[in-house]
Amino acid sequence: MHPILVWTDGGPVHGYGILVAAGYLAGILWLWSRRREVEGGDAEFWALVYTIFFCAILGAKLGYVLLDWKQFRGDPAGALRDWRSGWVFWTGFAATMAGGWVFQRVYNRSHRPRRYLPIADYFGPALALGHTLGRLGCFLEGCCHGRPTTLPWGVRFTDPAAGLDEAFRGLALHPTQLYEAAGEAAIFAFMLVKVLPGIRKGRYAYGTAFFGYILLYSVLRFVVEFFRGDDRGTFFLPWLSPSQWFSLIGLILAAYALRRNGIRERNLEGRSLYLP
């Protein structure tokens, strides 16, 4: 598509980086607009956002290094030279969950305890919103592309700067980036219109939006991976990528959590996010 938007004295400005940054900004701004609903002060809000942001970056980069460890075996610092690419969503997501839990444990030493799930319910939809824009950035860059297809909506990447192997350049490919972006946008809309209002009104239990996001995204990612054409490697079974294994784990854990936690709120009393 258009990997380079403009040229400046400092070099090219890639659409991928612009849209990924826009995704982070959109998610943060949406969370900021909802900060009253999670009863958090401004200082706590920004401290949590910074924690989640840095955990996501470090976790996603660490996942890339672990999955492609052979590439960096002789040069461990090689992955740190380019921060424009080389990310694994699922390890970044796991790191944000761990970072949020640690943040609350540390923060709660000097503040009133707060429950994890009521806050996480808002971060799931925010992630879906940000990821939508991020995948549009992938589309501009040409990375995370699909397999060759004869379907009428196949797309061709012809720009020499596009981030795909020469073997795929000029071929009609599945627009897997758009598949995932559309799916993420639908998840965000569903959470915004149906699930979050239900949680606020007491119809759904805390955690329904968070675990629901994990479940829905796991299904989406597992299916989209079958249409991907870029080399992501395989693990254990030759037809399943590492992301599909992560998706299966996410699906199972989210389904278990929803069943254990319950979707319908059984006790409508004490809906404050603060523990008594």
Side-chain angles (χ1 to χ4, degrees), residues 147-155 171-175 179:
R147 295 186 286 106
T149 180
T150 57
L151 293 172
W153 55 80
V155 296
L171 298 179
L173 307 175
H174 279 284
Y179 295 165

Tab-separated table of all heavy atoms in Angstrom, residues 147-155 171-175 179:
chain	number	residue	atom	x	y	z
A	147	ARG	N	-2.167	-14.949	2.513
A	147	ARG	CA	-1.749	-15.865	1.459
A	147	ARG	C	-2.322	-15.393	0.115
A	147	ARG	O	-3.286	-14.629	0.085
A	147	ARG	CB	-2.247	-17.276	1.756
A	147	ARG	CG	-1.639	-17.894	3.000
A	147	ARG	CD	-2.063	-19.347	3.151
A	147	ARG	NE	-3.455	-19.459	3.579
A	147	ARG	CZ	-4.462	-19.822	2.806
A	147	ARG	NH1	-4.267	-20.076	1.510
A	147	ARG	NH2	-5.686	-19.922	3.275
A	148	PRO	N	-1.746	-15.883	-0.975
A	148	PRO	CA	-2.315	-15.556	-2.291
A	148	PRO	C	-3.761	-16.032	-2.387
A	148	PRO	O	-4.141	-17.064	-1.827
A	148	PRO	CB	-1.409	-16.324	-3.256
A	148	PRO	CG	-0.106	-16.436	-2.545
A	148	PRO	CD	-0.460	-16.619	-1.104
A	149	THR	N	-4.567	-15.258	-3.085
A	149	THR	CA	-5.981	-15.583	-3.227
A	149	THR	C	-6.480	-15.153	-4.596
A	149	THR	O	-5.894	-14.262	-5.239
A	149	THR	CB	-6.809	-14.876	-2.127
A	149	THR	OG1	-8.191	-15.209	-2.282
A	149	THR	CG2	-6.663	-13.357	-2.223
A	150	THR	N	-7.555	-15.799	-5.041
A	150	THR	CA	-8.215	-15.404	-6.287
A	150	THR	C	-9.506	-14.636	-6.003
A	150	THR	O	-10.233	-14.287	-6.930
A	150	THR	CB	-8.545	-16.639	-7.138
A	150	THR	OG1	-9.359	-17.539	-6.367
A	150	THR	CG2	-7.266	-17.356	-7.557
A	151	LEU	N	-9.783	-14.382	-4.737
A	151	LEU	CA	-10.996	-13.649	-4.377
A	151	LEU	C	-10.914	-12.200	-4.873
A	151	LEU	O	-9.815	-11.639	-4.965
A	151	LEU	CB	-11.181	-13.664	-2.868
A	151	LEU	CG	-11.486	-15.049	-2.252
A	151	LEU	CD1	-11.466	-14.986	-0.738
A	151	LEU	CD2	-12.838	-15.556	-2.751
A	152	PRO	N	-12.053	-11.605	-5.192
A	152	PRO	CA	-12.031	-10.258	-5.798
A	152	PRO	C	-11.475	-9.175	-4.885
A	152	PRO	O	-11.084	-8.113	-5.382
A	152	PRO	CB	-13.502	-10.004	-6.137
A	152	PRO	CG	-14.288	-10.942	-5.277
A	152	PRO	CD	-13.427	-12.148	-5.116
A	153	TRP	N	-11.437	-9.400	-3.575
A	153	TRP	CA	-10.919	-8.373	-2.682
A	153	TRP	C	-9.445	-8.585	-2.326
A	153	TRP	O	-8.924	-7.946	-1.427
A	153	TRP	CB	-11.751	-8.290	-1.404
A	153	TRP	CG	-11.875	-9.584	-0.660
A	153	TRP	CD1	-10.967	-10.155	0.165
A	153	TRP	CD2	-12.995	-10.465	-0.698
A	153	TRP	NE1	-11.427	-11.339	0.660
A	153	TRP	CE2	-12.688	-11.552	0.152
A	153	TRP	CE3	-14.246	-10.438	-1.351
A	153	TRP	CZ2	-13.578	-12.604	0.353
A	153	TRP	CZ3	-15.113	-11.491	-1.147
A	153	TRP	CH2	-14.777	-12.561	-0.309
A	154	GLY	N	-8.781	-9.457	-3.066
A	154	GLY	CA	-7.343	-9.615	-2.859
A	154	GLY	C	-6.612	-8.304	-3.121
A	154	GLY	O	-7.000	-7.521	-4.002
A	155	VAL	N	-5.556	-8.029	-2.369
A	155	VAL	CA	-4.804	-6.779	-2.500
A	155	VAL	C	-3.380	-7.092	-2.960
A	155	VAL	O	-2.843	-8.169	-2.683
A	155	VAL	CB	-4.765	-5.984	-1.183
A	155	VAL	CG1	-6.157	-5.550	-0.774
A	155	VAL	CG2	-4.121	-6.808	-0.074
A	171	LEU	N	1.468	-9.984	-5.972
A	171	LEU	CA	0.433	-11.014	-5.994
A	171	LEU	C	-0.816	-10.534	-5.253
A	171	LEU	O	-0.729	-9.725	-4.322
A	171	LEU	CB	0.944	-12.299	-5.337
A	171	LEU	CG	2.151	-12.995	-5.973
A	171	LEU	CD1	2.515	-14.234	-5.161
A	171	LEU	CD2	1.857	-13.366	-7.416
A	172	ALA	N	-1.962	-11.050	-5.647
A	172	ALA	CA	-3.202	-10.759	-4.935
A	172	ALA	C	-3.214	-11.567	-3.644
A	172	ALA	O	-3.146	-12.803	-3.680
A	172	ALA	CB	-4.407	-11.094	-5.796
A	173	LEU	N	-3.290	-10.892	-2.503
A	173	LEU	CA	-3.201	-11.537	-1.198
A	173	LEU	C	-4.446	-11.258	-0.361
A	173	LEU	O	-5.095	-10.230	-0.532
A	173	LEU	CB	-1.973	-11.026	-0.433
A	173	LEU	CG	-0.618	-11.091	-1.145
A	173	LEU	CD1	0.450	-10.433	-0.278
A	173	LEU	CD2	-0.244	-12.536	-1.456
A	174	HIS	N	-4.733	-12.196	0.531
A	174	HIS	CA	-5.796	-11.938	1.508
A	174	HIS	C	-5.431	-10.704	2.338
A	174	HIS	O	-4.322	-10.640	2.885
A	174	HIS	CB	-5.954	-13.135	2.453
A	174	HIS	CG	-6.757	-14.260	1.897
A	174	HIS	ND1	-8.134	-14.217	1.809
A	174	HIS	CD2	-6.371	-15.469	1.412
A	174	HIS	CE1	-8.565	-15.354	1.294
A	174	HIS	NE2	-7.527	-16.132	1.039
A	175	PRO	N	-6.323	-9.731	2.460
A	175	PRO	CA	-6.036	-8.569	3.323
A	175	PRO	C	-6.272	-8.921	4.794
A	175	PRO	O	-7.209	-8.427	5.431
A	175	PRO	CB	-7.015	-7.513	2.807
A	175	PRO	CG	-8.181	-8.313	2.320
A	175	PRO	CD	-7.608	-9.588	1.749
A	179	TYR	N	-9.028	-7.918	7.797
A	179	TYR	CA	-9.892	-8.883	8.471
A	179	TYR	C	-9.827	-8.658	9.986
A	179	TYR	O	-10.848	-8.600	10.663
A	179	TYR	CB	-9.451	-10.319	8.169
A	179	TYR	CG	-9.564	-10.773	6.740
A	179	TYR	CD1	-8.921	-11.931	6.314
A	179	TYR	CD2	-10.312	-10.059	5.803
A	179	TYR	CE1	-9.015	-12.379	5.017
A	179	TYR	CE2	-10.411	-10.494	4.482
A	179	TYR	CZ	-9.758	-11.657	4.093
A	179	TYR	OH	-9.839	-12.102	2.792
